[in-house]
Amino acid sequence: MDTETVSVEEARRPRTSTGFVLTSAFASGVGVVIAVVIYHLGLAVAGAIAGRAPVLYHNEVLFRAGGSDLALAGGAAASLIAGAIFLTLYPASRRYDAARLTVLWTVLHCFRQGFTPLAVLPFTDDSPLSRAWSTLGLPVGVEWVVSAAGTVGLLSVALASAPAFLAYASRQSLISTPSGRARFTAEIALVPGVVGPLLAVPVFLPDGGTGLVPSLPLFGAFTIATVLAALGTRTVRIGDHREALGWSWLPLAWLVFFALVSQFLFRRGVLIPPSLRAPFVDSM
């Protein structure tokens, strides 16, 4: 039976500190920024290889030369590769702290950034991946197979993240019941998943009509599946004397750093490959 008896004193202890929820939200924001930057870097590198003279901005990549649209698949490919790399790094840390939580969010957002274009492939005609797909000349219907694979991948990542988030509980009683697990993941996954992308907005301003900023509120929708998966996740065990996590300045500091780099560097338009004599568009 999925229940546990706890003392009155323990039941009165705060469930999840507000500081920890805020830390997770800023960690989610950092994950969003890293995932978008990697996506754009993938586009830029693929464009450079295809000879399309890409320019990397803070919220988009522009090609100054014509060529094959196959280069537009570079963003999704880079995101999935980066997600796999960060996933291998995640178990290396044994401490459940803000740094590890930030890596977890980065893994999730990189996979989201890579799987989402695959999932919506049959429903869009002007997305980068759709334009790249059209150059392949594959039989009609294959795109639905790719879409199914992308959907399965996105859901698998969301569902698999449930035990990862539950492991941040400070004591077993917080996640001993289905309602407790749902509440805990809602506080450190669902709410930060929705709020985090909004905290990343200053990094991508001004939007300039790219559509990136208006799409940010949808970036955390996958965490709904995480909360639902937590209901049936009973395998997570919390060790004794686990220190309760609270506020950490680390994710906020990273977000401020990325905002400064974005506004004072990438906003000027970085030529790919960069030139030491004229690295920016406005310096040509």
Side-chain angles (χ1 to χ4, degrees), residues 218-237:
L218 300 176
F219 279 20
F222 69 93
T223 55
I224 297 175
T226 301
V227 175
L228 295 177
L231 292 171
T233 303
R234 307 178 184 181
T235 58
V236 178
R237 294 290 177 265

PDB file of all heavy atoms in Angstrom, residues 218-237:
ATOM      1  N   LEU A 218       5.305  28.164 -23.861  1.00  0.00           N
ATOM      2  CA  LEU A 218       4.957  26.769 -24.160  1.00  0.00           C
ATOM      3  C   LEU A 218       6.104  25.805 -23.895  1.00  0.00           C
ATOM      4  O   LEU A 218       5.906  24.589 -23.941  1.00  0.00           O
ATOM      5  CB  LEU A 218       4.523  26.647 -25.632  1.00  0.00           C
ATOM      6  CG  LEU A 218       3.320  27.485 -26.055  1.00  0.00           C
ATOM      7  CD1 LEU A 218       3.077  27.331 -27.556  1.00  0.00           C
ATOM      8  CD2 LEU A 218       2.078  27.085 -25.282  1.00  0.00           C
ATOM      9  N   PHE A 219       7.290  26.320 -23.603  1.00  0.00           N
ATOM     10  CA  PHE A 219       8.466  25.467 -23.484  1.00  0.00           C
ATOM     11  C   PHE A 219       8.380  24.487 -22.321  1.00  0.00           C
ATOM     12  O   PHE A 219       9.022  23.448 -22.336  1.00  0.00           O
ATOM     13  CB  PHE A 219       9.726  26.320 -23.342  1.00  0.00           C
ATOM     14  CG  PHE A 219      10.264  26.845 -24.638  1.00  0.00           C
ATOM     15  CD1 PHE A 219       9.457  26.913 -25.757  1.00  0.00           C
ATOM     16  CD2 PHE A 219      11.572  27.292 -24.746  1.00  0.00           C
ATOM     17  CE1 PHE A 219       9.935  27.398 -26.969  1.00  0.00           C
ATOM     18  CE2 PHE A 219      12.071  27.770 -25.946  1.00  0.00           C
ATOM     19  CZ  PHE A 219      11.243  27.827 -27.058  1.00  0.00           C
ATOM     20  N   GLY A 220       7.607  24.819 -21.299  1.00  0.00           N
ATOM     21  CA  GLY A 220       7.541  23.949 -20.128  1.00  0.00           C
ATOM     22  C   GLY A 220       6.338  23.029 -20.103  1.00  0.00           C
ATOM     23  O   GLY A 220       6.110  22.334 -19.101  1.00  0.00           O
ATOM     24  N   ALA A 221       5.573  22.983 -21.203  1.00  0.00           N
ATOM     25  CA  ALA A 221       4.350  22.176 -21.218  1.00  0.00           C
ATOM     26  C   ALA A 221       4.626  20.692 -20.988  1.00  0.00           C
ATOM     27  O   ALA A 221       3.775  19.967 -20.458  1.00  0.00           O
ATOM     28  CB  ALA A 221       3.597  22.371 -22.536  1.00  0.00           C
ATOM     29  N   PHE A 222       5.810  20.224 -21.364  1.00  0.00           N
ATOM     30  CA  PHE A 222       6.114  18.798 -21.231  1.00  0.00           C
ATOM     31  C   PHE A 222       6.155  18.345 -19.774  1.00  0.00           C
ATOM     32  O   PHE A 222       6.033  17.155 -19.483  1.00  0.00           O
ATOM     33  CB  PHE A 222       7.447  18.465 -21.917  1.00  0.00           C
ATOM     34  CG  PHE A 222       8.654  19.026 -21.227  1.00  0.00           C
ATOM     35  CD1 PHE A 222       9.348  18.280 -20.288  1.00  0.00           C
ATOM     36  CD2 PHE A 222       9.107  20.309 -21.513  1.00  0.00           C
ATOM     37  CE1 PHE A 222      10.464  18.785 -19.650  1.00  0.00           C
ATOM     38  CE2 PHE A 222      10.221  20.826 -20.874  1.00  0.00           C
ATOM     39  CZ  PHE A 222      10.900  20.064 -19.946  1.00  0.00           C
ATOM     40  N   THR A 223       6.322  19.285 -18.843  1.00  0.00           N
ATOM     41  CA  THR A 223       6.409  18.908 -17.436  1.00  0.00           C
ATOM     42  C   THR A 223       5.059  18.441 -16.876  1.00  0.00           C
ATOM     43  O   THR A 223       5.014  17.866 -15.787  1.00  0.00           O
ATOM     44  CB  THR A 223       6.928  20.075 -16.589  1.00  0.00           C
ATOM     45  OG1 THR A 223       6.105  21.233 -16.807  1.00  0.00           O
ATOM     46  CG2 THR A 223       8.367  20.404 -16.953  1.00  0.00           C
ATOM     47  N   ILE A 224       3.974  18.678 -17.615  1.00  0.00           N
ATOM     48  CA  ILE A 224       2.676  18.131 -17.202  1.00  0.00           C
ATOM     49  C   ILE A 224       2.766  16.606 -17.172  1.00  0.00           C
ATOM     50  O   ILE A 224       2.277  15.952 -16.243  1.00  0.00           O
ATOM     51  CB  ILE A 224       1.561  18.593 -18.151  1.00  0.00           C
ATOM     52  CG1 ILE A 224       1.407  20.113 -18.085  1.00  0.00           C
ATOM     53  CG2 ILE A 224       0.234  17.911 -17.811  1.00  0.00           C
ATOM     54  CD1 ILE A 224       0.408  20.667 -19.083  1.00  0.00           C
ATOM     55  N   ALA A 225       3.417  16.035 -18.197  1.00  0.00           N
ATOM     56  CA  ALA A 225       3.597  14.585 -18.248  1.00  0.00           C
ATOM     57  C   ALA A 225       4.498  14.117 -17.107  1.00  0.00           C
ATOM     58  O   ALA A 225       4.331  13.008 -16.584  1.00  0.00           O
ATOM     59  CB  ALA A 225       4.189  14.177 -19.594  1.00  0.00           C
ATOM     60  N   THR A 226       5.446  14.963 -16.696  1.00  0.00           N
ATOM     61  CA  THR A 226       6.326  14.613 -15.579  1.00  0.00           C
ATOM     62  C   THR A 226       5.535  14.450 -14.287  1.00  0.00           C
ATOM     63  O   THR A 226       5.739  13.494 -13.529  1.00  0.00           O
ATOM     64  CB  THR A 226       7.407  15.700 -15.404  1.00  0.00           C
ATOM     65  OG1 THR A 226       8.161  15.811 -16.609  1.00  0.00           O
ATOM     66  CG2 THR A 226       8.332  15.353 -14.251  1.00  0.00           C
ATOM     67  N   VAL A 227       4.619  15.383 -14.032  1.00  0.00           N
ATOM     68  CA  VAL A 227       3.792  15.310 -12.828  1.00  0.00           C
ATOM     69  C   VAL A 227       2.906  14.066 -12.865  1.00  0.00           C
ATOM     70  O   VAL A 227       2.761  13.358 -11.864  1.00  0.00           O
ATOM     71  CB  VAL A 227       2.930  16.578 -12.684  1.00  0.00           C
ATOM     72  CG1 VAL A 227       1.970  16.454 -11.499  1.00  0.00           C
ATOM     73  CG2 VAL A 227       3.820  17.806 -12.519  1.00  0.00           C
ATOM     74  N   LEU A 228       2.316  13.774 -14.007  1.00  0.00           N
ATOM     75  CA  LEU A 228       1.462  12.587 -14.126  1.00  0.00           C
ATOM     76  C   LEU A 228       2.275  11.316 -13.917  1.00  0.00           C
ATOM     77  O   LEU A 228       1.803  10.358 -13.287  1.00  0.00           O
ATOM     78  CB  LEU A 228       0.787  12.566 -15.497  1.00  0.00           C
ATOM     79  CG  LEU A 228      -0.198  13.710 -15.774  1.00  0.00           C
ATOM     80  CD1 LEU A 228      -0.734  13.617 -17.196  1.00  0.00           C
ATOM     81  CD2 LEU A 228      -1.351  13.681 -14.768  1.00  0.00           C
ATOM     82  N   ALA A 229       3.503  11.284 -14.437  1.00  0.00           N
ATOM     83  CA  ALA A 229       4.348  10.098 -14.269  1.00  0.00           C
ATOM     84  C   ALA A 229       4.741   9.914 -12.816  1.00  0.00           C
ATOM     85  O   ALA A 229       4.929   8.777 -12.346  1.00  0.00           O
ATOM     86  CB  ALA A 229       5.594  10.218 -15.138  1.00  0.00           C
ATOM     87  N   ALA A 230       4.871  11.017 -12.076  1.00  0.00           N
ATOM     88  CA  ALA A 230       5.277  10.935 -10.673  1.00  0.00           C
ATOM     89  C   ALA A 230       4.240  10.211  -9.822  1.00  0.00           C
ATOM     90  O   ALA A 230       4.586   9.631  -8.785  1.00  0.00           O
ATOM     91  CB  ALA A 230       5.517  12.343 -10.122  1.00  0.00           C
ATOM     92  N   LEU A 231       2.991  10.232 -10.244  1.00  0.00           N
ATOM     93  CA  LEU A 231       1.941   9.571  -9.469  1.00  0.00           C
ATOM     94  C   LEU A 231       2.244   8.094  -9.251  1.00  0.00           C
ATOM     95  O   LEU A 231       1.972   7.544  -8.182  1.00  0.00           O
ATOM     96  CB  LEU A 231       0.595   9.729 -10.181  1.00  0.00           C
ATOM     97  CG  LEU A 231       0.003  11.142 -10.235  1.00  0.00           C
ATOM     98  CD1 LEU A 231      -1.210  11.169 -11.155  1.00  0.00           C
ATOM     99  CD2 LEU A 231      -0.380  11.610  -8.838  1.00  0.00           C
ATOM    100  N   GLY A 232       2.802   7.452 -10.256  1.00  0.00           N
ATOM    101  CA  GLY A 232       3.069   6.022 -10.155  1.00  0.00           C
ATOM    102  C   GLY A 232       4.521   5.666  -9.924  1.00  0.00           C
ATOM    103  O   GLY A 232       4.886   4.486 -10.000  1.00  0.00           O
ATOM    104  N   THR A 233       5.360   6.657  -9.664  1.00  0.00           N
ATOM    105  CA  THR A 233       6.788   6.407  -9.445  1.00  0.00           C
ATOM    106  C   THR A 233       7.040   6.118  -7.968  1.00  0.00           C
ATOM    107  O   THR A 233       6.976   7.021  -7.132  1.00  0.00           O
ATOM    108  CB  THR A 233       7.631   7.614  -9.895  1.00  0.00           C
ATOM    109  OG1 THR A 233       7.354   7.902 -11.263  1.00  0.00           O
ATOM    110  CG2 THR A 233       9.109   7.320  -9.722  1.00  0.00           C
ATOM    111  N   ARG A 234       7.337   4.857  -7.653  1.00  0.00           N
ATOM    112  CA  ARG A 234       7.499   4.451  -6.247  1.00  0.00           C
ATOM    113  C   ARG A 234       8.911   3.980  -5.926  1.00  0.00           C
ATOM    114  O   ARG A 234       9.165   3.504  -4.823  1.00  0.00           O
ATOM    115  CB  ARG A 234       6.525   3.319  -5.924  1.00  0.00           C
ATOM    116  CG  ARG A 234       5.073   3.625  -6.276  1.00  0.00           C
ATOM    117  CD  ARG A 234       4.183   2.436  -5.959  1.00  0.00           C
ATOM    118  NE  ARG A 234       2.801   2.674  -6.373  1.00  0.00           N
ATOM    119  CZ  ARG A 234       1.810   1.802  -6.191  1.00  0.00           C
ATOM    120  NH1 ARG A 234       2.070   0.649  -5.599  1.00  0.00           N
ATOM    121  NH2 ARG A 234       0.595   2.093  -6.591  1.00  0.00           N
ATOM    122  N   THR A 235       9.813   4.082  -6.862  1.00  0.00           N
ATOM    123  CA  THR A 235      11.141   3.488  -6.693  1.00  0.00           C
ATOM    124  C   THR A 235      12.152   4.420  -6.043  1.00  0.00           C
ATOM    125  O   THR A 235      13.235   3.967  -5.667  1.00  0.00           O
ATOM    126  CB  THR A 235      11.690   3.040  -8.055  1.00  0.00           C
ATOM    127  OG1 THR A 235      11.735   4.182  -8.938  1.00  0.00           O
ATOM    128  CG2 THR A 235      10.795   1.971  -8.677  1.00  0.00           C
ATOM    129  N   VAL A 236      11.824   5.703  -5.923  1.00  0.00           N
ATOM    130  CA  VAL A 236      12.798   6.660  -5.397  1.00  0.00           C
ATOM    131  C   VAL A 236      12.873   6.543  -3.883  1.00  0.00           C
ATOM    132  O   VAL A 236      11.847   6.575  -3.192  1.00  0.00           O
ATOM    133  CB  VAL A 236      12.425   8.103  -5.799  1.00  0.00           C
ATOM    134  CG1 VAL A 236      13.423   9.094  -5.200  1.00  0.00           C
ATOM    135  CG2 VAL A 236      12.382   8.233  -7.311  1.00  0.00           C
ATOM    136  N   ARG A 237      14.082   6.402  -3.366  1.00  0.00           N
ATOM    137  CA  ARG A 237      14.299   6.310  -1.937  1.00  0.00           C
ATOM    138  C   ARG A 237      15.243   7.425  -1.490  1.00  0.00           C
ATOM    139  O   ARG A 237      16.315   7.611  -2.076  1.00  0.00           O
ATOM    140  CB  ARG A 237      14.889   4.944  -1.550  1.00  0.00           C
ATOM    141  CG  ARG A 237      13.916   3.796  -1.794  1.00  0.00           C
ATOM    142  CD  ARG A 237      12.754   3.867  -0.804  1.00  0.00           C
ATOM    143  NE  ARG A 237      11.759   2.829  -1.040  1.00  0.00           N
ATOM    144  CZ  ARG A 237      10.658   2.993  -1.761  1.00  0.00           C
ATOM    145  NH1 ARG A 237      10.423   4.177  -2.336  1.00  0.00           N
ATOM    146  NH2 ARG A 237       9.798   2.008  -1.917  1.00  0.00           N
TER     147      ARG A 237
END
